Amino acid sequence: MTDFHTLYQSYAPLVRRFALFLCGNPALADDITSETFVRAWTSRGKIQEATVKAYLFTIARNLFRDHLRINKRWTELEESIADPRTGVQIHAEQKEEVAALMLVLQQLSEIDRAALLMRVQEDMSYEEIAQALEITLATAKVKVHRARLKLIKARAAFKGVLS
């Protein structure tokens, strides 16, 4: 097993991005990321390298779920989340489409959103998703598929409105 500093350097950006997409709040995503690594550091068991990403995502997801239970409400996404890869101003139409899709994403159930983000954003295998979410492999595949369909339908509806 690599040292904890290397583990943090390798996985902190991925955990933060995952947390940000779950909660939509940069400050809360930072808190979830920090607490995820505190819990990983203080855990009694040894982290297996083959499953470290799923392990950290499970901790982050559970922390987000704890936050929801405590606050009993959804946190709305900010109107614009800057994409650090783009230097050019995004067109107004693209902003509206992204906002509409983010709204649909936030309306997915927490487990469906987590499954989709793990697959699409983090390129996790269905087996890793099933393990992280404590569901069967078939259920993981169905959840990702249905979440994708909802986003595709929402995008098609949005494009239809603009035409």
Side-chain angles (χ1 to χ4, degrees):
M1 181 67 192
T2 57
D3 69 348
F4 191 78
H5 178 73
T6 304
L7 178 82
Y8 181 83
Q9 293 297 320
S10 299
Y11 290 98
L14 300 174
V15 171
R16 186 186 185 280
R17 182 174 58 195
F18 177 68
L20 181 60
F21 277 107
L22 278 178
C23 68
N25 179 325
L28 180 57
D30 289 341
D31 290 346
I32 289 172
T33 302
S34 298
E35 184 63 23
T36 296
F37 283 94
V38 166
R39 292 199 182 179
W41 174 266
T42 59
S43 72
R44 293 178 186 252
K46 186 174 180 180
I47 301 171
Q48 301 296 320
E49 282 193 60
T51 60
V52 70
K53 191 176 189 182
Y55 176 72
L56 293 171
F57 280 16
T58 300
I59 295 171
R61 179 174 172 256
N62 288 338
L63 289 167
F64 173 67
R65 291 169 69 191
D66 290 346
H67 170 77
L68 290 179
R69 274 192 290 275
I70 291 168
N71 291 307
K72 302 255 186 209
R73 62 179 174 84
W74 289 92
T75 304
E76 291 190 30
L77 287 176
E78 293 179 22
E79 243 180 79
S80 64
I81 297 177
D83 184 351
R85 296 173 292 179
T86 4
V88 182
Q89 188 71 332
I90 298 173
H91 295 98
E93 180 181 314
Q94 290 173 326
K95 283 185 175 181
E96 290 176 21
E97 182 178 0
V98 168
L101 292 176
M102 290 301 282
L103 180 61
V104 171
L105 184 66
Q106 288 297 305
Q107 291 173 348
L108 294 174
S109 70
E110 181 272 330
I111 194 167
D112 289 354
R113 184 170 61 247
L116 179 67
L117 291 171
M118 286 178 182
R119 180 70 183 152
V120 175
Q121 196 70 27
E122 302 305 327
D123 200 29
M124 291 174 71
S125 70
Y126 289 109
E127 291 82 7
E128 290 175 310
I129 294 168
Q131 180 183 4
L133 298 179
E134 298 175 343
I135 57 178
T136 66
L137 177 62
T139 302
K141 290 178 179 180
V142 168
K143 289 193 172 300
V144 170
H145 177 72
R146 288 183 181 163
R148 281 183 173 159
L149 285 179
K150 287 179 184 177
L151 288 175
I152 289 168
K153 287 179 184 177
R155 187 168 190 221
F158 183 82
K159 295 282 187 185
V161 169
L162 292 178
S163 299

